Amino acid sequence: MDHIDALRKHLLRSIIILFITTSISFLFTQQIIDFLAQPVGGLTALRAIDVTEPIGVFMRIALLSGFTLALPFITLELWLFVAPGLKRKSRLFSLIAIPIAAILFFGGMTFAYFVMLPVGVPFLINVLGIPAELRPSTYVRFVTGVMFWIGAAFEFPLMIYILAMIGFVKAKFLLEQWRLAI
């Protein structure tokens, strides 16, 4: 029961942090939406079809940006729950991994926005020469999905390092199978 109570406390703090970061992101959601719409020419290039589409996009961006801001803190809370069961060396390494994971994730999101989307979106819009009317909900879902999954993909080097530390992956195997590793 002590472990369940400790987990409850860490989850409650995580939810409070998520609520705070989402509330803060509400103040900047309009600017974030404007920023995300830049690869297609801004908000004027988007056409809402449904009555609730603009508010749905607003809420999605507020929640996702709040979650992105809260991610390091949520990870820290999970670490605080798990840390008592870890050895000293594992505890230190996993604590250092939290900011590295956040930097890699944000780096992946930045790469997706500044490198992939400016090239990919115009190409996808003009495939077969069919003019596309972009809806805010589908465009934002696409952009946030690409940014999230590329951010997650940027975690791969850290995951390989962790697997190597555990002994699940050997450096010799990665060197022999470098094409597969890349």
Side-chain angles (χ1 to χ4, degrees), residues 150-172:
I150 297 301
F154 269 55
E155 300 291 332
F156 188 68
L158 182 63
M159 296 304 298
I160 290 294
Y161 183 73
I162 291 169
L163 291 173
M165 291 281 292
I166 294 171
F168 191 72
V169 175
K170 303 286 185 217
K172 182 180 177 185

Side-chain angles (χ1 to χ4, degrees), residues 3 6-7 9-11 13-14 17 72-86 91 94-95 98:
H3 294 295
L7 179 61
K9 288 177 184 176
H10 290 294
L11 289 175
R13 284 195 296 247
S14 296
I17 289 169
F73 301 106
I74 292 171
T75 307
L76 179 63
E77 284 296 329
L78 291 174
W79 180 85
L80 290 171
F81 175 69
V82 174
L86 299 175
R91 205 174 321 143
S94 60
L95 185 60
I98 292 172

Side-chain angles (χ1 to χ4, degrees), residues 9 12 14 34 36 40 54 56 74 82 92 102 104 122 142-143 146 149-150 155 162-163 176 180:
K9 288 177 184 176
L12 182 61
S14 296
D34 290 339
L36 292 176
V40 293
I74 292 171
V82 174
L92 180 63
L104 289 172
F142 170 74
V143 169
V146 166
W149 288 112
I150 297 301
E155 300 291 332
I162 291 169
L163 291 173
E176 291 171 355
L180 181 62

Side-chain angles (χ1 to χ4, degrees), residues 119-132:
V119 175
V121 170
F123 171 77
L124 293 171
I125 290 174
N126 294 315
V127 170
L128 299 177
I130 300 171

Side-chain angles (χ1 to χ4, degrees), residues 97-150:
I98 292 172
I100 292 171
I103 290 168
L104 289 172
F105 185 75
F106 294 139
M109 290 177 67
T110 303
F111 176 80
Y113 182 80
F114 287 107
V115 176
M116 292 180 68
L117 290 176
V119 175
V121 170
F123 171 77
L124 293 171
I125 290 174
N126 294 315
V127 170
L128 299 177
I130 300 171
E133 287 288 323
L134 300 175
R135 294 180 57 188
S137 60
T138 54
Y139 175 74
V140 165
R141 190 177 321 119
F142 170 74
V143 169
T144 56
V146 166
M147 290 175 69
F148 174 80
W149 288 112
I150 297 301

